[in-house]
Amino acid sequence: MNPDTHHAWIGELTAWAENNADVVGMIGAGSTGASDRPADQFSDHDILVFTVDGAAALLRDDLSWLPETNRIIYVHVETLHGRGAIYDDGHLLEIAVLDTKELEVIRLNDYVVLVDKANLSARLAAVAERTAIETTANDGNVARYGHFLQDMIVGANRYARGERLSGNNRIRGGATTNLLGMLGGSWGCL
């Protein structure tokens, strides 16, 4: 998706959220909320919607509010609150819809507040701060080193056993991510 279309979708979603009485807030997270990495043709959309209590489930189950719904070819249930909508051109729109009382269950790194009708900004900032503290405490180099070793051993054993795809994934995915993290890269998390 080109950056102009990416931004147009954000505008469309923002207008929808501002005009929906059940929606009290919406943020762009991950790549959608990153100020230091502008959207490019490979960027997906990461949107979190906060509703009046009791309204979130309906919006999660009826995605007709998403842009160009006629082009959605698959919806994946990622978590209790999250859905991944895949479009016919491969574009991914990841959404989470939560009642306002559930806001503190999320984790945030990069984000931008797109709509805030209920003064959620302070709560969101506290969530982002807590996430940063937890990430630092739980994901230091000692923990990453342990995960790196574990992924290397499990991956090598699976590969040797003939489980080539699983072994390859464990080494190239998990082990590499932890190695890069130990080397000081901030390779993203949401």
Side-chain angles (χ1 to χ4, degrees):
M1 174 175 286
N2 70 51
D4 290 337
T5 304
H6 189 278
H7 293 301
W9 278 26
I10 296 297
E12 185 177 329
L13 287 164
T14 300
W16 165 83
E18 288 173 343
N19 293 311
N20 187 311
D22 288 335
V23 175
V24 296
M26 185 174 80
I27 64 172
S31 60
T32 304
S35 59
D36 60 339
R37 294 182 314 273
D40 62 23
Q41 70 218 30
F42 305 107
S43 298
D44 64 357
H45 283 88
D46 300 291
I47 301 293
L48 285 82
V49 175
F50 304 99
T51 68
V52 295
D53 293 337
L58 180 61
L59 289 177
R60 279 193 300 269
D61 294 337
D62 176 7
L63 299 178
S64 61
W65 53 274
L66 294 178
E68 302 181 32
T69 54
N70 61 315
R71 294 187 40 236
I72 295 174
I73 59 171
Y74 187 75
V75 175
H76 171 69
V77 176
E78 293 185 58
T79 64
L80 173 65
H81 304 102
R83 306 290 182 265
I86 301 172
Y87 285 78
D88 59 6
D89 62 355
H91 184 71
L92 175 64
L93 196 157
E94 295 179 281
I95 60 161
V97 184
L98 303 96
D99 289 332
T100 305
K101 67 182 176 188
E102 299 173 304
L103 186 145
E104 278 74 20
V105 305
I106 64 173
R107 300 292 176 260
L108 283 177
N109 52 21
D110 294 330
Y111 74 98
V112 62
V113 176
L114 301 168
V115 175
D116 187 356
K117 301 182 214 172
N119 297 318
L120 300 176
S121 294
R123 288 175 65 191
L124 291 164
V127 167
E129 182 178 342
R130 185 185 72 237
T131 301
I133 291 168
E134 289 173 359
T135 301
T136 301
N138 295 330
D139 207 14
N141 279 344
V142 172
R144 283 188 187 266
Y145 183 68
H147 290 297
F148 166 76
L149 289 176
Q150 181 176 329
D151 286 334
M152 288 297 294
I153 292 167
V154 170
N157 287 337
R158 286 182 181 172
Y159 195 87
R161 183 185 302 125
E163 299 174 13
R164 303 249 194 267
L165 289 175
S166 178
N168 189 7
N169 182 54
R170 197 71 184 247
I171 292 170
R172 289 183 182 228
T176 301
T177 298
N178 285 298
L179 177 62
L180 291 172
M182 287 186 297
L183 295 174
S186 175
W187 306 102
C189 67
L190 173 68

